[in-house]
Amino acid sequence: MIRKIARENTLNLRAKHLNRQIRELKRTFENNFPQYPSDKFEMVRDFNIKLVRAKSRLKRISKIIVKNRRQARQMLIRVTKEIQILKDTNRQLSKSSESSTNLL
């Protein structure tokens, strides 16, 4: 019983950490939004859609942890990969906004 609770707590902590990362990504996205160049509109749009999807998946995970830990663990891994992709995309957008600002 104690192991089960410990595993659930570990998964919950991991989900909270990922949720914190998503909030941070959303905050930086919203702060930098006016600086993104218009030619990167599709990239910005896709980033926002992926961010919302990752956030909704995390909300679902918290409910699944109690019922099915294995599925929750697999979903956490997928969300972690998505967050990494979002971080890379955010870096690319930031670089493109810096380069467009330098041109002006």
Side-chain angles (χ1 to χ4, degrees):
M1 184 67 179
I2 294 173
R3 281 187 176 169
K4 180 181 176 185
I5 293 170
R7 287 183 191 141
E8 287 176 8
N9 287 341
T10 304
L11 291 175
N12 279 326
L13 286 174
R14 195 166 169 201
K16 285 181 184 178
H17 178 71
L18 293 175
N19 198 14
R20 201 173 304 125
Q21 287 181 350
I22 286 180
R23 279 196 316 261
E24 185 179 312
L25 277 170
K26 183 179 178 188
R27 198 175 304 124
T28 57
F29 173 75
E30 289 173 349
N31 290 339
N32 295 337
F33 185 76
Q35 300 169 0
Y36 295 139
S38 58
D39 59 335
K40 298 286 184 179
F41 175 76
E42 286 297 319
M43 193 175 195
V44 171
R45 183 175 164 269
D46 289 341
F47 178 84
N48 195 24
I49 290 170
K50 288 177 184 178
L51 188 66
V52 170
R53 284 183 184 161
K55 190 173 182 178
S56 69
R57 283 193 181 120
L58 262 180
K59 284 184 180 179
R60 275 188 267 142
I61 289 173
S62 62
K63 296 173 187 171
I64 293 175
I65 287 175
V66 177
K67 297 176 186 174
N68 190 346
R69 286 190 309 275
R70 177 177 285 162
Q71 184 181 3
R73 195 175 313 115
Q74 291 171 349
M75 289 176 74
L76 280 171
I77 291 169
R78 276 189 232 122
V79 171
T80 304
K81 290 177 183 177
E82 288 175 13
I83 288 174
Q84 188 59 45
I85 291 170
L86 286 170
K87 284 182 178 180
D88 294 341
T89 307
N90 193 26
R91 279 191 216 108
Q92 289 176 353
L93 285 170
S94 296
K95 286 180 184 178
S96 65
S97 69
E98 288 173 3
S99 64
S100 68
T101 319
N102 291 339
L103 292 174
L104 296 175

